Amino acid sequence: MATTDKRASRIRRAGRTRHHIRCLHVNRLSVYRSANHIYAQVFSSCGSTVLASASTLDKEIQADKKHTGNVNAAKLIGALLAKRCKEAGINKLAFDRSGYRYHGRIKALADAAREGGLDF
């Protein structure tokens, strides 16, 4: 029962952040992490279209990494997402950490995306 309360709290925090980002009218970089994988998607300002995405399930990452639920894999995802955003012409966006604390894999992904040239 404690895990559902923890999950509900995270979703509630994520909702507050997403509402604020929606008012800004900018593209949104949303991150989701599980025990084994990390996923990142860039949504349009209205939230209806995925403009770019990357995850540890991509074949480019699967070939490189044996274990995909760690900080090193998150760095690769951030760099790959930055490359794909640059190809799509996206430079500025808002970071939606989906209610997760800004540390560990979330921080590594964000730092790698910034190093790749994204501004948020």
Side-chain angles (χ1 to χ4, degrees):
M1 183 164 260
T3 57
T4 57
D5 294 341
K6 185 176 180 180
R7 183 173 184 266
S9 295
R10 183 189 67 79
I11 291 171
R12 180 178 36 81
R13 286 191 303 269
R16 283 197 309 254
T17 303
R18 289 181 182 141
H19 174 73
H20 180 73
I21 292 172
R22 198 174 306 124
C23 294
L24 296 175
H25 302 292
V26 294
N27 296 332
R28 172 172 61 102
L29 167 57
S30 181
V31 177
Y32 176 75
R33 67 177 170 88
S34 68
N36 295 324
H37 297 285
I38 190 160
Y39 310 85
Q41 293 179 315
V42 176
F43 291 97
S44 63
S45 59
C46 63
S48 63
T49 308
V50 176
L51 305 173
S53 66
S55 76
T56 52
L57 295 174
D58 287 345
K59 295 203 185 297
E60 298 173 30
I61 301 298
Q62 286 283 334
D64 294 343
K65 299 301 287 181
K66 181 178 178 184
H67 182 65
T68 54
N70 57 17
V71 171
N72 294 331
K75 288 178 185 177
L76 289 175
I77 295 302
L80 179 63
L81 185 71
K83 183 181 103 179
R84 290 180 179 173
C85 285
K86 288 293 186 181
E87 290 171 359
I90 301 167
N91 293 322
K92 186 157 177 68
L93 33 88
F95 186 62
D96 173 14
R97 54 189 175 84
S98 299
Y100 299 114
R101 287 179 24 188
Y102 187 80
H103 80 300
R105 290 188 283 162
I106 303 295
K107 184 177 187 285
L109 188 143
D111 290 343
R114 282 189 186 106
E115 287 174 13
L118 294 180
D119 183 29
F120 53 89

